[in-house]
């Protein structure tokens, strides 16, 4: 029987989980903040020890069973799930009973999200992870709400009430997020097992998803969407190397970065006019760095494209990261053989580095005009999705503004921006002036004295040109030269969110 195929039992399970306070906060209360921090490092020992010291609580029993992968007495589980019971949980495919002991067959845990659309919480079922299995993951592993899921959720622009395609849905996390506001969500995956989990999670959380099986855009041939979101299997993995596992959730069987390229190139045929696609991706650098970045931009074809590179790893760093992710332990022969396979694959194709980050694509209503690739490897703040949306809007406004029109525009400093000046001891003039953002991408931009003065005077009263002219007079500089120097800086600061329309 498929996972969660009984709707009445699922309704009972939902009520039981709710009554057990099986939430993110409820689990932390069950095993304490220290254990919760350790679980973030994939260390279950503090949580297991803390649970052993305490009287069994419903949330603690369920957390031990479904998160930590620890067997629990059937009578404890029956008390934690009074409506569903262990017999019902077994019928749903969640546990296996043997000799009065319940063993989890799935990872089932609470997941919470706070973004511009508000706060939401779900229960997400997936395959048990490395922590519960105590070893390497099977190739058909279905991932739950991992770190990448959270990253993609943070960068999404508002979905509005239109249609959304969640391509490569996995356990359905992005589909659940999109369904909060979208009128229709189509969720696809090449893995039938992943779709089984997505179907269970949608039903458990009372969400309607149109689930379809197939590779890339095949299940939606001829259809267009207002939004496309995808956390694809982007990991660059050696093809055909002996002993290298081909994880369905991590790589899609393409050589190099071919999967990400196919996703980006195919988006143009499936976005409605003005529609936005966003994805996480990895891309290879072969030789010249600028040429490699231009290659990624070229994949977008007729679409607007904005790439934010968050990491640039050398091949050894990349290989070590993903070999460990699969469960192979450093120092073992297995670990060394896998790292060697990765490095030999990169060397054979001349790969010198691997970039990782976010890609935002948009179907313009006219000719594509945005071609932006930037490397931002610092800490980020909240509201990245809103920052991307504001950047796209600023780009659109600026397209119709020649310099004289920009000079007539009234701008204001964004409320999260602060100015920092650095001086050598005893000097009257600063050596460095920085503008810093407190939210979004938390950019830090160095500006000169003239630009700092213009930005500082953008309070919604005077247009940019008038401010630049006043600064020129104060500095006894030529007004035309000052405008020519300042206006390009103003354009960039507006796009980046340091400035906004007054």
């Amino acid at each position: 029987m498929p996972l969660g195929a009984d709707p009445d039992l699922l309704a009972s399970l939902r009520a039981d989980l709710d009554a057990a306070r099986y939430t993110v906060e409820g689990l932390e209360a069950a095993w304490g903040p220290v254990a919760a921090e350790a679980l973030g490092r994939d260390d279950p020992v503090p949580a297991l020890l803390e649970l052993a010291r305490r009287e069994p609580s419903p949330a603690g029993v369920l957390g031990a069973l479904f998160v930590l992968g620890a067997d629990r007495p059937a009578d404890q589980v029956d008390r934690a799930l009074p409506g569903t019971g262990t017999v019902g949980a077994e019928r749903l495919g969640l546990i296996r009973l043997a000799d009065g002991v319940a063993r989890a067959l799935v990872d089932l845990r609470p997941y919470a999200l706070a973004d511009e659309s508000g706060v939401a919480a779900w229960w997400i079922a997936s395959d048990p992870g490395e922590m519960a299995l105590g070893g390497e993951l099977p190739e058909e592993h279905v991932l739950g709400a991992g770190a990448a899921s959270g990253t993609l959720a943070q960068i999404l622009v508002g979905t509005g009430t239109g249609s959304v395609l969640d391509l490569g849905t996995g356990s359905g996390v992005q589909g659940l997020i999109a369904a909060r506001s979208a009128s229709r969500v189509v969720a696809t995956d090449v893995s039938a097992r992943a779709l089984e989990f997505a179907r269970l999670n949608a039903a458990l959380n009372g969400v309607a998803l149109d689930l379809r099986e197939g590779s890339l855009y095949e299940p939606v041939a001829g259809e267009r969407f207002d939004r496309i979101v995808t956390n694809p299997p982007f990991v660059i993995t050696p093809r055909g190397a002996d002993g290298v596992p081909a994880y369905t959730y991590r790589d899609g069987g393409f050589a190099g970065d071919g999967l990400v390229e196919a996703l980006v190139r195919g988006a143009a045929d499936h976005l409605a006019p003005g529609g936005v696609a966003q994805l996480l991706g990895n891309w290879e650098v072969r030789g010249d760095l600028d040429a490699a970045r231009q290659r990624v931009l070229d994949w977008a074809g007729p679409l607007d494209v904005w790439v934010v590179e968050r990491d640039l790893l050398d091949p050894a760093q990349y290989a070590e990261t993903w070999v460990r992710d699969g469960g192979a332990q450093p120092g073992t022969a297995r670990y060394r053989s896998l790292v060697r396979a990765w490095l030999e694959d990169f060397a054979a194709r001349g790969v010198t580095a691997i970039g990782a980050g976010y890609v935002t694509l948009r179907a313009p209503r006219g000719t594509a005009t945005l071609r932006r690739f930037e490397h931002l490897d610092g800490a980020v703040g909240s509201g990245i999705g809103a920052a991307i949306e504001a950047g796209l809007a600023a780009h659109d406004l600026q397209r119709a503004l020649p310099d004289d029109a920009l000079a007539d525009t009234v701008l204001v400093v964004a409320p999260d921006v602060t100015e920092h000046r650095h001086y050598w001891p005893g000097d009257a003039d600063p050596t460095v002036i920085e503008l810093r953002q407190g939210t979004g991408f938390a950019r830090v931009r160095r500006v000169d004295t003239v630009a700092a003065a213009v930005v500082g005077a953008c309070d919604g009263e005077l247009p940019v040109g008038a401010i630049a002219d006043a600064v020129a007079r104060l500095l006894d500089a030529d007004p035309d030269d000052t405008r020519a120097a300042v206006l390009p800086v103003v354009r960039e600061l507006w796009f980046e969110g340091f400035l906004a329309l007054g």
Side-chain angles (χ1 to χ4, degrees), residues 51 88-89 96 104 110 112 143 196 200 305 340 391:
L51 290 175
R96 178 181 293 122
L143 193 66
E196 197 173 349
L200 165 63
V305 55
R340 173 186 284 273

Side-chain angles (χ1 to χ4, degrees), residues 136 242-245 247 323 327-329 331-339:
E136 291 190 40
D242 290 339
V244 177
Y247 292 114
V323 170
Q329 297 300 310
T332 64
R334 171 71 170 160
Y335 177 87
R336 289 193 293 270
S337 69
L338 288 173
V339 170

Side-chain angles (χ1 to χ4, degrees), residues 16-17 20 22 27 57-67 77 80-81 108:
D16 286 341
L17 295 176
Y22 195 54
L27 279 181
S57 67
V61 170
L62 297 176
L65 180 68
F66 290 119
V67 177
V77 180
L81 300 174
L108 175 63

Side-chain angles (χ1 to χ4, degrees), residues 110-136:
Y111 176 67
L113 172 75
D115 59 13
E116 286 76 18
S117 298
V119 178
W122 303 279
W123 296 290
I124 303 296
S126 63
D127 277 323
E130 178 191 343
M131 184 174 65
L133 295 176
E136 291 190 40

Side-chain angles (χ1 to χ4, degrees), residues 47-49 51-52 56-57 60-66 68-78 86 95-104:
L48 289 168
L49 290 175
L51 290 175
S57 67
V61 170
L62 297 176
L65 180 68
F66 290 119
L68 306 180
D71 293 353
R72 279 297 178 261
D75 60 339
Q76 285 189 8
V77 180
D78 279 325
T86 49
I95 65 170
R96 178 181 293 122
L97 288 171
D99 300 324
V101 174
R103 171 167 294 180

Side-chain angles (χ1 to χ4, degrees), residues 390-466:
L392 293 173
H395 169 79
D396 293 343
L397 289 169
Q398 289 187 35
R399 269 184 7 191
L401 288 178
D403 280 353
D404 56 347
L406 176 61
D408 291 334
T409 302
V410 177
L411 298 175
V412 296
V413 180
D416 67 322
V417 173
T418 56
E419 182 186 281
H420 297 251
R421 296 186 174 227
H422 305 267
Y423 297 81
W424 288 113
D427 282 1
D429 298 321
T431 54
V432 175
I433 304 175
E434 293 176 335
L435 301 177
R436 293 176 176 264
Q437 292 175 320
T439 61
F441 286 111
R443 289 183 173 92
V444 178
R445 287 288 177 254
R446 287 191 176 189
V447 293
D448 61 20
T449 305
V450 174
V454 171
V455 170
C458 285
D459 57 4
E461 295 294 328
L462 294 173
V464 172

